[in-house]
Amino acid sequence: MSTVFSICSGSAFVSHSRLFPFAAKGPVHHLKRPLSSKCTASLGTQISVSPAVDTFWQWLKEEGVVSAKTPVKAGVVPEGLGLVALKDISRNEVVLQVPKRLWINPDAVAASEIGNVCSGLKPWLAVALFLIRERSRDDSIWKHYFTILPKETDSTIYWSEEELSEIQGTQLLNTTLSVKEYVKSEFRRLEEEIILPNKRLFPSPITLDDFFWAFGILRSRAFSRLRNENLVVIPLADLINHSARVTTEDHAYEIKGAAGLFSWDYLFSLRSPLSIKAGDQVYIQYDLKKSNAELALDYGFIEPNADRNAYTMTLQISESDPFFDDKLDIAESNGFGETAYFDIFYNRPLPPGLLPYLRLVALGGNDAFLLESLFRTSIWGHLELPVSRDNEELICRVVQQACNSALAGYHTTVEEDQKLKEANLDYRLAMAVGIREGEKKVLQKINEIFKEKEEELNQLEYYQERRLKDLGLCGENGDILGDLGKFF
């Protein structure tokens, strides 16, 4: 076949547009290690929190955010800090409300001294600079909040080279390195264009480590999907931890209400998605759609649930393809582009559009007539089903080759990873083993799917046969009926 079939799977390129800005699919919250299934007993409140947390809580009282009626309190939990119920809480009961004047968002930046110089920046960059500057100020309204924030998390962006070597061959490693380079380049640009020319506004030195701290805070703690907000850090609300037991993301609301004795404001309102008992921890779901690799990058944990394991297959219409322009036009008409990304999860069907896109990039030879303008409005429907034996055989063969090539890039096997998991591993090493094992299992699954398709090639019904049936010229068993000469 002369058609050029381009597929990138072993080291799939994840562009910055898929990672930034911080307009996340769901609310992005607090980066903590998740509570294991073994730690489900009532936590109580007998463990004392640090003096910094006590001071933070006192500040919240002074600001009117918490009171004797607040049904939760900051507590020491397996994840570090969390919100523990002081009484029985019913499902959908409000557990906290935080007025907008305490939110850290682009509006807060715009109203500050650095608002003018940050006005042309991407929102996340402006908020990152604001976080760094406010953290260095003794008179910041948020000074007690900054004292309880972590210096770093278990996100892979903070891993050492030795720790990163444990995810050799994974897409997460490539993504992590790309993100780190992106953050570095953004910092260098900010330093040159904003920070150094405005030393009066930024009197304290700002380092790359400072910028990575702010990036990690935003990546792990910023909420999105509120009615008027796409990027907002909310003190107190970000103490709440994630649980896989929560299967809904419907818990955060932006409402208008009383923000003090005589004032009204927008409030961030958080409701418990589960009914819980006094002494138990309140949880939410960070994002149902994120893979384990995304959880590791954003929050620094993974779930043991195999359904979170995913692999991103990257397909591309090569510019050297003789039918490049036609294929690109068809792809764009159906919501895709020259390059298309498909997130394949372990226990889910192949994503919509994957097979049609595969068949499109493989289309050529005797099947190229489908690229003619006559078929332009209907071709995607034809691509939903096998086009020809040659086309289907090509996609099966190339996908299997790509999977085997990707699997060869890991330095351990699935069996070796499973044996390692039986030991008491360091937390980050356990994450690494879980990530690489999960990716390999998905690759094996993809390989199996296309191997089975290849074995069924002789039983499939292809375009020409379907077309003859539509014309009444082919029987149910595939027998050609009548004299076809007059139809061609």
mmCIF file of all heavy atoms in Angstrom, residues 15-56:
data_model
loop_
_atom_site.group_PDB
_atom_site.id
_atom_site.type_symbol
_atom_site.label_atom_id
_atom_site.label_comp_id
_atom_site.label_asym_id
_atom_site.label_seq_id
_atom_site.Cartn_x
_atom_site.Cartn_y
_atom_site.Cartn_z
ATOM 1 N N SER A 15 0.664 17.673 23.678
ATOM 2 C CA SER A 15 0.964 19.087 23.474
ATOM 3 C C SER A 15 0.552 19.921 24.664
ATOM 4 O O SER A 15 -0.277 19.520 25.475
ATOM 5 C CB SER A 15 0.239 19.606 22.234
ATOM 6 O OG SER A 15 -1.143 19.658 22.466
ATOM 7 N N HIS A 16 1.128 21.110 24.772
ATOM 8 C CA HIS A 16 0.779 21.999 25.880
ATOM 9 C C HIS A 16 -0.687 22.372 25.847
ATOM 10 O O HIS A 16 -1.281 22.658 26.874
ATOM 11 C CB HIS A 16 1.656 23.256 25.815
ATOM 12 C CG HIS A 16 3.112 22.950 26.010
ATOM 13 N ND1 HIS A 16 4.098 23.604 25.366
ATOM 14 C CD2 HIS A 16 3.736 22.012 26.791
ATOM 15 C CE1 HIS A 16 5.286 23.117 25.731
ATOM 16 N NE2 HIS A 16 5.086 22.153 26.591
ATOM 17 N N SER A 17 -1.280 22.378 24.683
ATOM 18 C CA SER A 17 -2.695 22.750 24.598
ATOM 19 C C SER A 17 -3.584 21.742 25.301
ATOM 20 O O SER A 17 -4.695 22.047 25.697
ATOM 21 C CB SER A 17 -3.116 22.878 23.129
ATOM 22 O OG SER A 17 -2.996 21.633 22.469
ATOM 23 N N ARG A 18 -3.083 20.509 25.476
ATOM 24 C CA ARG A 18 -3.857 19.501 26.190
ATOM 25 C C ARG A 18 -3.632 19.595 27.697
ATOM 26 O O ARG A 18 -4.307 18.925 28.466
ATOM 27 C CB ARG A 18 -3.471 18.102 25.713
ATOM 28 C CG ARG A 18 -4.144 17.714 24.411
ATOM 29 C CD ARG A 18 -3.545 16.455 23.844
ATOM 30 N NE ARG A 18 -3.643 15.313 24.726
ATOM 31 C CZ ARG A 18 -4.703 14.547 24.867
ATOM 32 N NH1 ARG A 18 -5.810 14.826 24.215
ATOM 33 N NH2 ARG A 18 -4.682 13.500 25.663
ATOM 34 N N LEU A 19 -2.664 20.380 28.110
ATOM 35 C CA LEU A 19 -2.351 20.472 29.533
ATOM 36 C C LEU A 19 -2.649 21.832 30.133
ATOM 37 O O LEU A 19 -2.874 21.962 31.321
ATOM 38 C CB LEU A 19 -0.865 20.162 29.741
ATOM 39 C CG LEU A 19 -0.443 18.734 29.380
ATOM 40 C CD1 LEU A 19 1.059 18.641 29.343
ATOM 41 C CD2 LEU A 19 -1.005 17.741 30.366
ATOM 42 N N PHE A 20 -2.616 22.853 29.323
ATOM 43 C CA PHE A 20 -2.765 24.223 29.803
ATOM 44 C C PHE A 20 -3.758 24.946 28.939
ATOM 45 O O PHE A 20 -3.978 24.580 27.794
ATOM 46 C CB PHE A 20 -1.401 24.936 29.759
ATOM 47 C CG PHE A 20 -0.340 24.229 30.530
ATOM 48 C CD1 PHE A 20 0.570 23.409 29.899
ATOM 49 C CD2 PHE A 20 -0.273 24.353 31.905
ATOM 50 C CE1 PHE A 20 1.539 22.737 30.616
ATOM 51 C CE2 PHE A 20 0.697 23.686 32.622
ATOM 52 C CZ PHE A 20 1.603 22.876 31.972
ATOM 53 N N PRO A 21 -4.347 26.040 29.390
ATOM 54 C CA PRO A 21 -4.205 26.586 30.734
ATOM 55 C C PRO A 21 -4.992 25.760 31.736
ATOM 56 O O PRO A 21 -5.375 24.627 31.419
ATOM 57 C CB PRO A 21 -4.778 27.990 30.570
ATOM 58 C CG PRO A 21 -5.792 27.849 29.506
ATOM 59 C CD PRO A 21 -5.227 26.825 28.541
ATOM 60 N N PHE A 22 -5.318 26.324 32.883
ATOM 61 C CA PHE A 22 -5.941 25.562 33.959
ATOM 62 C C PHE A 22 -7.455 25.529 33.847
ATOM 63 O O PHE A 22 -8.152 25.631 34.823
ATOM 64 C CB PHE A 22 -5.534 26.143 35.316
ATOM 65 C CG PHE A 22 -4.121 25.829 35.685
ATOM 66 C CD1 PHE A 22 -3.080 26.571 35.166
ATOM 67 C CD2 PHE A 22 -3.837 24.788 36.526
ATOM 68 C CE1 PHE A 22 -1.777 26.283 35.507
ATOM 69 C CE2 PHE A 22 -2.525 24.487 36.882
ATOM 70 C CZ PHE A 22 -1.496 25.239 36.363
ATOM 71 N N ALA A 23 -7.966 25.406 32.653
ATOM 72 C CA ALA A 23 -9.405 25.235 32.487
ATOM 73 C C ALA A 23 -9.677 23.745 32.501
ATOM 74 O O ALA A 23 -9.824 23.104 31.483
ATOM 75 C CB ALA A 23 -9.872 25.839 31.171
ATOM 76 N N ALA A 24 -9.662 23.165 33.705
ATOM 77 C CA ALA A 24 -9.753 21.721 33.836
ATOM 78 C C ALA A 24 -11.137 21.210 33.494
ATOM 79 O O ALA A 24 -12.117 21.930 33.534
ATOM 80 C CB ALA A 24 -9.396 21.317 35.269
ATOM 81 N N LYS A 25 -11.209 19.912 33.165
ATOM 82 C CA LYS A 25 -12.504 19.293 32.866
ATOM 83 C C LYS A 25 -13.420 19.352 34.085
ATOM 84 O O LYS A 25 -14.621 19.505 33.967
ATOM 85 C CB LYS A 25 -12.289 17.819 32.485
ATOM 86 C CG LYS A 25 -11.517 17.606 31.199
ATOM 87 C CD LYS A 25 -11.312 16.122 30.979
ATOM 88 C CE LYS A 25 -10.476 15.830 29.750
ATOM 89 N NZ LYS A 25 -10.176 14.403 29.596
ATOM 90 N N GLY A 26 -12.822 19.158 35.227
ATOM 91 C CA GLY A 26 -13.600 19.168 36.456
ATOM 92 C C GLY A 26 -12.908 20.004 37.494
ATOM 93 O O GLY A 26 -11.885 20.614 37.225
ATOM 94 N N PRO A 27 -13.444 20.054 38.705
ATOM 95 C CA PRO A 27 -12.795 20.855 39.737
ATOM 96 C C PRO A 27 -11.468 20.235 40.145
ATOM 97 O O PRO A 27 -11.391 19.054 40.394
ATOM 98 C CB PRO A 27 -13.813 20.815 40.891
ATOM 99 C CG PRO A 27 -14.617 19.612 40.652
ATOM 100 C CD PRO A 27 -14.645 19.378 39.173
ATOM 101 N N VAL A 28 -10.431 21.026 40.180
ATOM 102 C CA VAL A 28 -9.121 20.557 40.600
ATOM 103 C C VAL A 28 -8.915 21.031 42.023
ATOM 104 O O VAL A 28 -9.030 22.203 42.305
ATOM 105 C CB VAL A 28 -8.029 21.141 39.687
ATOM 106 C CG1 VAL A 28 -6.670 20.617 40.081
ATOM 107 C CG2 VAL A 28 -8.333 20.791 38.242
ATOM 108 N N HIS A 29 -8.593 20.117 42.911
ATOM 109 C CA HIS A 29 -8.657 20.489 44.317
ATOM 110 C C HIS A 29 -7.344 20.326 45.070
ATOM 111 O O HIS A 29 -6.360 20.944 44.727
ATOM 112 C CB HIS A 29 -9.748 19.677 45.019
ATOM 113 C CG HIS A 29 -11.099 19.907 44.454
ATOM 114 N ND1 HIS A 29 -11.840 21.037 44.698
ATOM 115 C CD2 HIS A 29 -11.850 19.166 43.621
ATOM 116 C CE1 HIS A 29 -13.004 20.966 44.072
ATOM 117 N NE2 HIS A 29 -13.017 19.856 43.407
ATOM 118 N N HIS A 30 -7.333 19.470 46.037
ATOM 119 C CA HIS A 30 -6.264 19.435 47.030
ATOM 120 C C HIS A 30 -5.370 18.237 46.789
ATOM 121 O O HIS A 30 -5.850 17.135 46.592
ATOM 122 C CB HIS A 30 -6.896 19.345 48.413
ATOM 123 C CG HIS A 30 -5.928 19.622 49.502
ATOM 124 N ND1 HIS A 30 -5.154 20.753 49.545
ATOM 125 C CD2 HIS A 30 -5.613 18.912 50.611
ATOM 126 C CE1 HIS A 30 -4.413 20.732 50.645
ATOM 127 N NE2 HIS A 30 -4.676 19.628 51.288
ATOM 128 N N LEU A 31 -4.098 18.442 46.807
ATOM 129 C CA LEU A 31 -3.158 17.377 46.532
ATOM 130 C C LEU A 31 -2.743 16.681 47.816
ATOM 131 O O LEU A 31 -1.967 17.171 48.593
ATOM 132 C CB LEU A 31 -1.942 17.964 45.842
ATOM 133 C CG LEU A 31 -0.810 17.012 45.500
ATOM 134 C CD1 LEU A 31 -1.367 15.804 44.780
ATOM 135 C CD2 LEU A 31 0.188 17.697 44.636
ATOM 136 N N LYS A 32 -3.311 15.534 48.036
ATOM 137 C CA LYS A 32 -2.994 14.737 49.211
ATOM 138 C C LYS A 32 -2.968 13.273 48.816
ATOM 139 O O LYS A 32 -3.581 12.854 47.857
ATOM 140 C CB LYS A 32 -4.094 14.918 50.263
ATOM 141 C CG LYS A 32 -4.192 16.311 50.853
ATOM 142 C CD LYS A 32 -3.276 16.458 52.043
ATOM 143 C CE LYS A 32 -3.608 17.707 52.815
ATOM 144 N NZ LYS A 32 -4.904 17.694 53.436
ATOM 145 N N ARG A 33 -2.285 12.483 49.604
ATOM 146 C CA ARG A 33 -2.323 11.043 49.384
ATOM 147 C C ARG A 33 -3.698 10.528 49.775
ATOM 148 O O ARG A 33 -4.203 10.846 50.843
ATOM 149 C CB ARG A 33 -1.243 10.358 50.225
ATOM 150 C CG ARG A 33 0.159 10.835 49.856
ATOM 151 C CD ARG A 33 1.223 10.193 50.711
ATOM 152 N NE ARG A 33 2.537 10.703 50.333
ATOM 153 C CZ ARG A 33 3.674 10.291 50.876
ATOM 154 N NH1 ARG A 33 3.657 9.389 51.823
ATOM 155 N NH2 ARG A 33 4.820 10.787 50.468
ATOM 156 N N PRO A 34 -4.315 9.700 48.917
ATOM 157 C CA PRO A 34 -5.680 9.259 49.209
ATOM 158 C C PRO A 34 -5.733 8.286 50.373
ATOM 159 O O PRO A 34 -4.774 7.565 50.636
ATOM 160 C CB PRO A 34 -6.106 8.577 47.911
ATOM 161 C CG PRO A 34 -4.825 8.086 47.326
ATOM 162 C CD PRO A 34 -3.791 9.106 47.693
ATOM 163 N N LEU A 35 -6.834 8.288 51.058
ATOM 164 C CA LEU A 35 -7.040 7.381 52.181
ATOM 165 C C LEU A 35 -7.168 5.961 51.659
ATOM 166 O O LEU A 35 -7.950 5.681 50.770
ATOM 167 C CB LEU A 35 -8.323 7.775 52.922
ATOM 168 C CG LEU A 35 -8.632 7.036 54.222
ATOM 169 C CD1 LEU A 35 -7.604 7.390 55.276
ATOM 170 C CD2 LEU A 35 -10.017 7.387 54.701
ATOM 171 N N SER A 36 -6.371 5.045 52.182
ATOM 172 C CA SER A 36 -6.445 3.661 51.730
ATOM 173 C C SER A 36 -7.702 3.003 52.268
ATOM 174 O O SER A 36 -8.304 3.447 53.235
ATOM 175 C CB SER A 36 -5.219 2.878 52.213
ATOM 176 O OG SER A 36 -5.289 2.680 53.614
ATOM 177 N N SER A 37 -8.092 1.894 51.647
ATOM 178 C CA SER A 37 -9.312 1.197 52.048
ATOM 179 C C SER A 37 -9.184 0.625 53.459
ATOM 180 O O SER A 37 -10.172 0.311 54.104
ATOM 181 C CB SER A 37 -9.612 0.065 51.054
ATOM 182 O OG SER A 37 -8.512 -0.833 51.000
ATOM 183 N N LYS A 38 -7.932 0.486 53.935
ATOM 184 C CA LYS A 38 -7.726 -0.059 55.274
ATOM 185 C C LYS A 38 -7.966 0.995 56.358
ATOM 186 O O LYS A 38 -8.105 0.679 57.522
ATOM 187 C CB LYS A 38 -6.300 -0.603 55.389
ATOM 188 C CG LYS A 38 -6.018 -1.777 54.451
ATOM 189 C CD LYS A 38 -4.572 -2.225 54.583
ATOM 190 C CE LYS A 38 -4.259 -3.369 53.624
ATOM 191 N NZ LYS A 38 -2.837 -3.792 53.716
ATOM 192 N N CYS A 39 -7.940 2.262 55.970
ATOM 193 C CA CYS A 39 -8.050 3.348 56.953
ATOM 194 C C CYS A 39 -9.432 3.960 56.924
ATOM 195 O O CYS A 39 -9.597 5.117 56.581
ATOM 196 C CB CYS A 39 -6.991 4.419 56.669
ATOM 197 S SG CYS A 39 -5.310 3.788 56.667
ATOM 198 N N THR A 40 -10.441 3.195 57.263
ATOM 199 C CA THR A 40 -11.804 3.696 57.166
ATOM 200 C C THR A 40 -12.452 3.903 58.535
ATOM 201 O O THR A 40 -13.600 4.280 58.629
ATOM 202 C CB THR A 40 -12.669 2.726 56.344
ATOM 203 O OG1 THR A 40 -12.567 1.418 56.921
ATOM 204 C CG2 THR A 40 -12.195 2.677 54.899
ATOM 205 N N ALA A 41 -11.728 3.656 59.598
ATOM 206 C CA ALA A 41 -12.296 3.837 60.928
ATOM 207 C C ALA A 41 -12.487 5.315 61.217
ATOM 208 O O ALA A 41 -11.886 6.174 60.602
ATOM 209 C CB ALA A 41 -11.366 3.208 61.967
ATOM 210 N N SER A 42 -13.347 5.598 62.193
ATOM 211 C CA SER A 42 -13.592 6.991 62.567
ATOM 212 C C SER A 42 -12.292 7.646 63.010
ATOM 213 O O SER A 42 -11.536 7.102 63.810
ATOM 214 C CB SER A 42 -14.614 7.028 63.703
ATOM 215 O OG SER A 42 -14.808 8.333 64.144
ATOM 216 N N LEU A 43 -12.026 8.832 62.464
ATOM 217 C CA LEU A 43 -10.762 9.510 62.724
ATOM 218 C C LEU A 43 -10.771 10.248 64.060
ATOM 219 O O LEU A 43 -9.746 10.393 64.699
ATOM 220 C CB LEU A 43 -10.457 10.504 61.592
ATOM 221 C CG LEU A 43 -10.275 9.864 60.223
ATOM 222 C CD1 LEU A 43 -10.260 10.943 59.162
ATOM 223 C CD2 LEU A 43 -8.983 9.076 60.189
ATOM 224 N N GLY A 44 -11.957 10.744 64.409
ATOM 225 C CA GLY A 44 -12.042 11.521 65.639
ATOM 226 C C GLY A 44 -11.297 12.837 65.506
ATOM 227 O O GLY A 44 -10.834 13.216 64.453
ATOM 228 N N THR A 45 -11.158 13.548 66.594
ATOM 229 C CA THR A 45 -10.458 14.839 66.582
ATOM 230 C C THR A 45 -9.413 14.902 67.684
ATOM 231 O O THR A 45 -8.979 15.967 68.084
ATOM 232 C CB THR A 45 -11.465 15.988 66.768
ATOM 233 O OG1 THR A 45 -12.185 15.766 67.992
ATOM 234 C CG2 THR A 45 -12.433 16.060 65.619
ATOM 235 N N GLN A 46 -9.000 13.704 68.173
ATOM 236 C CA GLN A 46 -8.105 13.707 69.313
ATOM 237 C C GLN A 46 -6.669 14.059 68.936
ATOM 238 O O GLN A 46 -5.877 14.465 69.793
ATOM 239 C CB GLN A 46 -8.147 12.346 70.027
ATOM 240 C CG GLN A 46 -7.533 11.187 69.229
ATOM 241 C CD GLN A 46 -8.519 10.556 68.285
ATOM 242 O OE1 GLN A 46 -9.548 11.141 67.958
ATOM 243 N NE2 GLN A 46 -8.219 9.347 67.824
ATOM 244 N N ILE A 47 -6.280 13.908 67.649
ATOM 245 C CA ILE A 47 -4.923 14.227 67.240
ATOM 246 C C ILE A 47 -4.810 15.730 67.054
ATOM 247 O O ILE A 47 -5.567 16.335 66.309
ATOM 248 C CB ILE A 47 -4.557 13.494 65.934
ATOM 249 C CG1 ILE A 47 -4.716 11.979 66.134
ATOM 250 C CG2 ILE A 47 -3.145 13.824 65.497
ATOM 251 C CD1 ILE A 47 -4.467 11.170 64.881
ATOM 252 N N SER A 48 -3.842 16.332 67.717
ATOM 253 C CA SER A 48 -3.704 17.780 67.657
ATOM 254 C C SER A 48 -3.096 18.209 66.331
ATOM 255 O O SER A 48 -2.165 17.585 65.828
ATOM 256 C CB SER A 48 -2.808 18.276 68.800
ATOM 257 O OG SER A 48 -3.383 17.965 70.043
ATOM 258 N N VAL A 49 -3.631 19.291 65.796
ATOM 259 C CA VAL A 49 -3.057 19.864 64.578
ATOM 260 C C VAL A 49 -1.908 20.779 64.979
ATOM 261 O O VAL A 49 -1.722 21.104 66.152
ATOM 262 C CB VAL A 49 -4.121 20.644 63.771
ATOM 263 C CG1 VAL A 49 -5.185 19.703 63.249
ATOM 264 C CG2 VAL A 49 -4.728 21.769 64.603
ATOM 265 N N SER A 50 -1.126 21.219 64.006
ATOM 266 C CA SER A 50 0.025 22.075 64.285
ATOM 267 C C SER A 50 -0.442 23.466 64.717
ATOM 268 O O SER A 50 -1.571 23.878 64.424
ATOM 269 C CB SER A 50 0.893 22.194 63.044
ATOM 270 O OG SER A 50 0.216 22.934 62.037
ATOM 271 N N PRO A 51 0.427 24.230 65.395
ATOM 272 C CA PRO A 51 0.077 25.604 65.761
ATOM 273 C C PRO A 51 -0.286 26.450 64.539
ATOM 274 O O PRO A 51 -1.141 27.336 64.639
ATOM 275 C CB PRO A 51 1.358 26.123 66.435
ATOM 276 C CG PRO A 51 2.020 24.897 66.973
ATOM 277 C CD PRO A 51 1.711 23.813 65.982
ATOM 278 N N ALA A 52 0.357 26.184 63.380
ATOM 279 C CA ALA A 52 0.056 26.943 62.163
ATOM 280 C C ALA A 52 -1.390 26.725 61.737
ATOM 281 O O ALA A 52 -2.073 27.660 61.301
ATOM 282 C CB ALA A 52 1.009 26.555 61.039
ATOM 283 N N VAL A 53 -1.878 25.487 61.882
ATOM 284 C CA VAL A 53 -3.262 25.195 61.517
ATOM 285 C C VAL A 53 -4.215 25.855 62.504
ATOM 286 O O VAL A 53 -5.266 26.382 62.111
ATOM 287 C CB VAL A 53 -3.499 23.674 61.446
ATOM 288 C CG1 VAL A 53 -4.966 23.363 61.167
ATOM 289 C CG2 VAL A 53 -2.625 23.036 60.367
ATOM 290 N N ASP A 54 -3.859 25.836 63.803
ATOM 291 C CA ASP A 54 -4.685 26.526 64.803
ATOM 292 C C ASP A 54 -4.789 28.018 64.495
ATOM 293 O O ASP A 54 -5.869 28.623 64.590
ATOM 294 C CB ASP A 54 -4.090 26.340 66.207
ATOM 295 C CG ASP A 54 -4.414 24.974 66.800
ATOM 296 O OD1 ASP A 54 -5.458 24.405 66.425
ATOM 297 O OD2 ASP A 54 -3.618 24.480 67.612
ATOM 298 N N THR A 55 -3.671 28.619 64.101
ATOM 299 C CA THR A 55 -3.665 30.053 63.773
ATOM 300 C C THR A 55 -4.504 30.309 62.524
ATOM 301 O O THR A 55 -5.247 31.302 62.457
ATOM 302 C CB THR A 55 -2.220 30.537 63.533
ATOM 303 O OG1 THR A 55 -1.447 30.278 64.711
ATOM 304 C CG2 THR A 55 -2.187 32.021 63.230
ATOM 305 N N PHE A 56 -4.382 29.419 61.552
ATOM 306 C CA PHE A 56 -5.186 29.530 60.329
ATOM 307 C C PHE A 56 -6.676 29.462 60.662
ATOM 308 O O PHE A 56 -7.482 30.242 60.153
ATOM 309 C CB PHE A 56 -4.783 28.407 59.363
ATOM 310 C CG PHE A 56 -5.706 28.222 58.191
ATOM 311 C CD1 PHE A 56 -5.797 29.184 57.196
ATOM 312 C CD2 PHE A 56 -6.488 27.071 58.082
ATOM 313 C CE1 PHE A 56 -6.646 29.007 56.105
ATOM 314 C CE2 PHE A 56 -7.340 26.888 57.002
ATOM 315 C CZ PHE A 56 -7.417 27.857 56.012
#
